Amino acid sequence: MEKEFTLSPPSTPITPPANEMESARERKRTSIRKIRRREITLAYACLAPSLLLFGAFLFYPLLKSVYLSLFLTDPQGRVAEFVGFGNFKDILSSDMFYKSFGNTLMFMLLTVPTGIAAALFFAALTHNKLTGMKIFRFIFSLPMAVSVGTGSMIWMILYHPTLGMLNYMLSLAGLGPVQWLTDPKWAMISIAIMTVWMNLGFNYILMLSGIQGVSEDIYDSARIDGSGPLRTFFRITMPLISPTLFFTLVVSIIGAFQAFGQINILTKGGPMNSTNVIVYNIYQDAFINFRFGIGSAQALILFVIILTLTLLQFKFVERRVHYQ
Amino acid sequence: MSLRLLPKSFIYLLLLVGALAVAFPLLYTLSTSLMTEAESAVYPPPLLPETINLANFLKVIETIPVLRFIANSAIVSCAIMIGQVLTSALAAYAFAFLRFPGKTLLFSLFLATMMVPWEVIMIPNYLTIRSLNWLDSYQGLIVPFLATAFGTFLLRQTFLSLPKELFEAARVDGCGHVRTFLSMVLPLSVPGLATLGVYSFLNNWNMYLWPLLTTNREEMRTVQIGIGMLQFEEMNSWNLILSGVLLMLLPSLLLLALGLKPLVRGITAGALKG
C-alpha cells in the first residue's frame, strides 16, 4: 500500500486512475480469498483429528459390522461363508433372542422410571439454602464415582444369601431370606436395584442442574400466589425442567439397553437366563463362542431397536416438553 | 425449590433417610474394610469394626497388584481425557467460529455418531485392534476413544456463549485464529473444559467392556477388570475384598469431590441448550 503512494507522481489526482483502482480491488479480492481459503484450511485442520478417529473407530467399524453380519466367520474373525440375511433369520427365529429382548425390556422398565424418580426426588429435596446442603448434594452424587466393577463387588457381598447384610436386615424385619442372585424370580430385580443405585449419581447431577436452571422469581411468585409445595412442584417445576427430564429419559433408556458389566459380574446371565440381556447375548456369541458374524447381526438389531425407541421418544414424548 | 415450603425438620428427616440409604453400600464398604477377617465373617454381620485395622490395605496390595491396576486406569483415563478435551476443543472451535463448506453436513455427522451404540462397533474395533497387535497395550485402550461428539457439542455450546464483541475486537486488532483460540477462547472456557474433563475421566475410569475384551495379561488390567481378581483370590475374606474395592474407588471419589461443581453447572448446558 505504502509503495503505491510513494510511486505515484505528485501531479496525479487524488483518485487513482481506473486501472490502478481495479488492480487494488483485485488485490483486495485475492487477499480476501486467501483469508477465506486459510480459514477453510484451518477449519478442516481443526476437524481432522476428530474426523480421522471417527473414521477409523466409528464409521469404518459400522460398515464392517454390516459386512460381517452377512457372513459366517472363523474364530479368527475372517469371513468364511456368505450367508446373506441368514444370521438375521437365525436370530429372529431363536427363542433366546426374544428371551433376552424381553429381559432387556424388563430391565429398562425396572430401572428407568425408578431411577429418574429417585434422582428427581433427591434433587428437589436438596435445592434450597438450608445448612448442610453441600454435604447432602455430595452424598447423592457419590454413586457417580462408583463404577460397574466396584459397584458389583459391593452388591455381590450385600446380596450374599446366608451372610449378607440385606438378608440380615430382612431377618430383623421378620422376613425370610431372599435368594437375591440365584432365584430366577429375584435376579433381575436385584440387578435393577443395584443399577438404580449406581446410576443415581449421574441422574441426580442432571436433575439438580436442571432445577438450578429455573429462575428463583418463579418460585417467589408461586408462593405469593399461595401455591403449595406439591402443586408448585408438579405444575411449575416439572414443566420447566421437562427438557432435562426428556434428556435423562432418552439417555437412560439407551443406557438400559447397553447394560452389561453388572450382569457379567453378578449373574453371568443366569439363573436360567433370567438376566440374559441383549448385550450379554452379543458378548457371548462374539467373544465366548467366537461367532463374530452372528454377534454383529445382533448388534445391528440392537442398534435398530435403540434408534427406533429414540425416534419414537422424539416424536411422541418431546411434544410434551416445554422448551423456554 | 418448591419443596422448601415444607417444614425444615421434615426436609432434614427425608434427606437423612435418603442419604443413609444411598451411602449405605459405601459406608458398609468402608466399615468392613477396617475389620479383621474374623469380624467380617461373623453372623449377624457387625456394623462397625471393633478397632480400626489398616492391615487389610497392605495385605490386599501384597495379594493382587492393586496399585498397578490403579496406575493403568489412571494412565488410560488421563490420556483419554486430555485427548478428548484437545480433539473436541479443536472441532468445537471450527464449528463455533469458522466458516467452511460442508459445515452443516459435518455437524450432523458428528451428531449421528452419538446415536451409534458402542456395542455395534465393538466387534470390528476388537478385530482392528487385534490386527494392529494392540491387544494388551495402552494404545489399544486409549486410541479408539480419543474423539467424542458429546464433548464437541458441550464445548461448542460453551464457546458460543462467550461474548462475541470480544472476538470482533480481537480480529480488528489483527489477532489471528490460532492466537484467539489459545489466548482467549480456551482461558475463557475453563469451566466448560473442566466439566468435560471430569465427565470424561469418570467415564473412562469406569469403562468395563472394552478393557475386558482387549486385555489379558495381568499387568495390563485396569481397575474395573482387576477387581474381579479379588473374587477368586480372596473369596471368603470380605474385609480384604472390600478394602481392595475402597482403594480402587478412592481416585474417582477424590475427583468427584473436586469436580462436582463444574459437573452440576455444565453437564446439561451442552446437551440441552441447543
Side-chain angles (χ1 to χ4, degrees):
Chain A
M1 276 306 235
E2 238 173 275
K3 218 174 170 188
E4 231 170 83
F5 282 104
T6 48
L7 277 182
S8 51
S11 60
T12 41
I14 295 162
T15 47
N19 63 335
E20 221 173 279
M21 225 160 79
E22 186 56 39
S23 75
R25 212 177 287 143
E26 185 65 30
R27 249 195 309 272
K28 202 172 166 198
R29 216 178 287 141
T30 50
S31 82
I32 285 178
R33 213 178 291 147
K34 219 158 126 200
I35 290 174
R36 279 287 298 141
R37 209 179 303 134
R38 209 182 295 153
E39 187 176 342
I40 293 171
T41 319
L42 187 70
Y44 287 127
C46 284
L47 292 174
S50 294
L51 284 177
L52 282 177
L53 286 161
F54 282 144
F57 295 105
L58 208 138
F59 294 117
Y60 164 71
L62 194 57
L63 292 177
K64 180 132 186 227
S65 260
V66 176
Y67 174 76
L68 282 176
S69 72
L70 304 174
F71 288 86
L72 293 180
T73 55
D74 67 4
Q76 293 305 307
R78 287 181 297 248
V79 295
E81 191 196 335
F82 179 78
V83 289
F85 291 108
N87 286 330
F88 291 94
K89 265 185 214 140
D90 282 355
I91 293 166
L92 294 176
S93 60
S94 87
D95 292 339
M96 192 49 117
F97 173 76
Y98 292 102
K99 174 94 181 155
S100 70
F101 183 55
N103 285 339
T104 312
L105 282 181
M106 180 49 87
F107 177 75
M108 183 188 86
L109 288 175
L110 285 171
T111 55
V112 175
T114 41
I116 292 180
L120 187 61
F121 178 68
F122 291 133
L125 274 182
T126 49
H127 181 68
N128 57 45
K129 295 195 175 68
L130 298 178
T131 39
M133 270 326 116
K134 257 194 171 156
I135 300 170
F136 284 113
R137 282 182 197 165
F138 181 64
I139 292 176
F140 293 130
S141 34
L142 265 181
M144 170 111 190
V146 178
S147 61
V148 77
T150 44
S152 302
M153 289 306 281
I154 295 173
W155 283 86
M156 177 180 267
I157 289 174
L158 289 174
Y159 280 144
H160 193 281
T162 50
L163 302 173
M165 199 40 122
L166 292 182
N167 274 347
Y168 173 62
M169 286 175 165
L170 285 183
S171 76
L172 288 184
L175 299 167
V178 169
Q179 304 299 309
W180 296 99
L181 297 171
T182 47
D183 182 343
K185 281 202 291 289
W186 277 95
M188 187 57 101
I189 296 172
S190 310
I191 297 273
I193 293 172
M194 180 267 169
T195 308
V196 168
W197 177 77
M198 195 174 66
N199 291 340
L200 183 69
F202 183 62
N203 288 343
Y204 169 77
I205 288 175
L206 284 176
M207 293 298 158
L208 185 65
S209 78
I211 288 182
Q212 284 183 348
V214 177
S215 153
E216 286 293 316
D217 305 346
I218 296 176
Y219 295 126
D220 289 340
S221 36
R223 189 171 37 210
I224 290 164
D225 290 348
S227 170
L230 289 179
R231 195 183 135 92
T232 311
F233 182 75
F234 285 109
R235 291 296 177 82
I236 296 176
T237 313
M238 290 275 278
L240 283 175
I241 62 162
S242 55
T244 311
L245 281 170
F246 180 66
F247 174 75
T248 315
L249 180 76
V250 172
V251 171
S252 303
I253 289 184
I254 294 178
F257 269 84
Q258 296 176 299
F260 170 77
Q262 61 272 53
I263 288 158
N264 189 40
I265 297 173
L266 290 177
T267 61
K268 299 244 178 279
M272 290 161 55
N273 289 317
S274 60
T275 57
N276 190 347
V277 290
I278 298 182
V279 176
Y280 191 76
N281 220 8
I282 298 174
Y283 169 75
Q284 274 197 313
D285 271 330
F287 296 100
I288 305 290
N289 303 323
F290 295 106
R291 302 195 305 169
F292 293 111
I294 207 149
S296 296
Q298 254 188 105
L300 286 172
I301 293 176
L302 175 72
F303 186 18
V304 171
I305 294 172
I306 292 180
L307 204 64
T308 314
L309 275 177
T310 309
L311 292 177
L312 284 178
Q313 290 175 76
F314 269 94
K315 193 157 165 37
F316 293 107
V317 186
E318 206 195 14
R319 262 197 232 146
R320 305 183 56 186
V321 172
H322 172 94
Y323 289 102
Q324 275 174 302
Chain B
M1 179 64 236
S2 60
L3 292 185
R4 77 168 48 134
L5 306 181
L6 296 170
K8 259 190 203 176
S9 51
F10 186 60
I11 294 185
Y12 275 120
L13 184 72
L14 287 177
L15 280 173
L16 271 177
V17 173
L20 209 63
V22 172
F24 177 76
L26 294 172
L27 293 175
Y28 174 77
T29 305
L30 175 66
S31 162
T32 309
S33 71
L34 300 172
M35 290 178 188
T36 61
E37 186 161 349
E39 276 178 285
S40 77
V42 292
Y43 189 87
L47 272 180
L48 292 169
E50 273 174 28
T51 54
I52 291 192
N53 172 9
L54 295 172
N56 294 330
F57 295 101
L58 293 177
K59 185 154 183 218
V60 85
I61 288 171
E62 280 165 21
T63 321
I64 65 166
V66 180
L67 297 182
R68 174 81 201 206
F69 298 156
I70 292 178
N72 283 342
S73 278
I75 291 169
V76 171
S77 307
C78 286
I80 299 179
M81 177 184 77
I82 294 167
Q84 286 193 344
V85 170
L86 280 177
T87 57
S88 45
L90 281 174
Y93 186 84
F95 284 130
F97 296 119
L98 301 176
R99 284 181 307 151
F100 55 94
K103 186 168 172 174
T104 325
L105 181 77
L106 283 173
F107 195 65
S108 11
L109 201 67
F110 269 62
L111 223 151
T113 67
M114 300 218 293
M115 297 297 301
V116 180
W118 165 244
E119 289 72 19
V120 178
I121 49 176
M122 155 181 93
I123 294 171
N125 272 342
Y126 168 79
L127 297 173
T128 307
I129 293 294
R130 203 181 57 184
S131 68
L132 289 169
N133 270 327
W134 279 5
L135 291 181
D136 277 321
S137 76
Y138 286 123
Q139 58 270 38
L141 289 169
I142 293 169
V143 177
F145 300 95
L146 286 178
T148 157
F150 172 77
T152 307
F153 286 121
L154 192 77
L155 293 185
R156 176 181 169 265
Q157 297 311 116
T158 313
F159 292 173
L160 285 176
S161 67
L162 299 174
K164 272 204 182 65
E165 301 79 23
L166 214 58
F167 302 114
E168 276 157 21
R171 189 127 332 130
V172 171
D173 289 347
C175 183
H177 280 294
V178 177
R179 244 184 71 200
T180 312
F181 178 65
L182 291 177
S183 61
M184 299 179 69
V185 174
L186 286 187
L188 287 172
S189 312
V190 166
L193 298 172
T195 302
L196 177 60
V198 174
Y199 177 78
S200 158
F201 185 92
L202 287 176
N203 257 357
N204 304 326
W205 185 271
N206 294 345
M207 207 187 307
Y208 180 80
L209 185 48
W210 185 247
L212 179 72
L213 297 179
T214 59
T215 59
N216 278 316
R217 285 189 298 133
E218 202 178 293
E219 63 265 34
M220 281 311 298
R221 284 189 187 153
T222 60
V223 161
Q224 307 310 329
I225 312 304
I227 209 161
M229 276 179 78
L230 289 166
Q231 218 178 318
F232 306 112
E233 307 265 334
E234 296 292 342
M235 193 50 206
N236 296 311
S237 331
W238 287 358
N239 56 332
L240 286 190
I241 298 180
L242 289 177
S243 49
V245 167
L246 197 68
L247 281 177
M248 296 180 183
L249 268 175
L250 278 183
S252 41
L253 279 179
L254 206 69
L255 188 76
L256 186 74
L258 296 174
L260 188 57
K261 215 170 175 192
L263 263 185
V264 173
R265 205 173 26 201
I267 206 79
T268 46
L272 297 177
K273 288 158 198 157

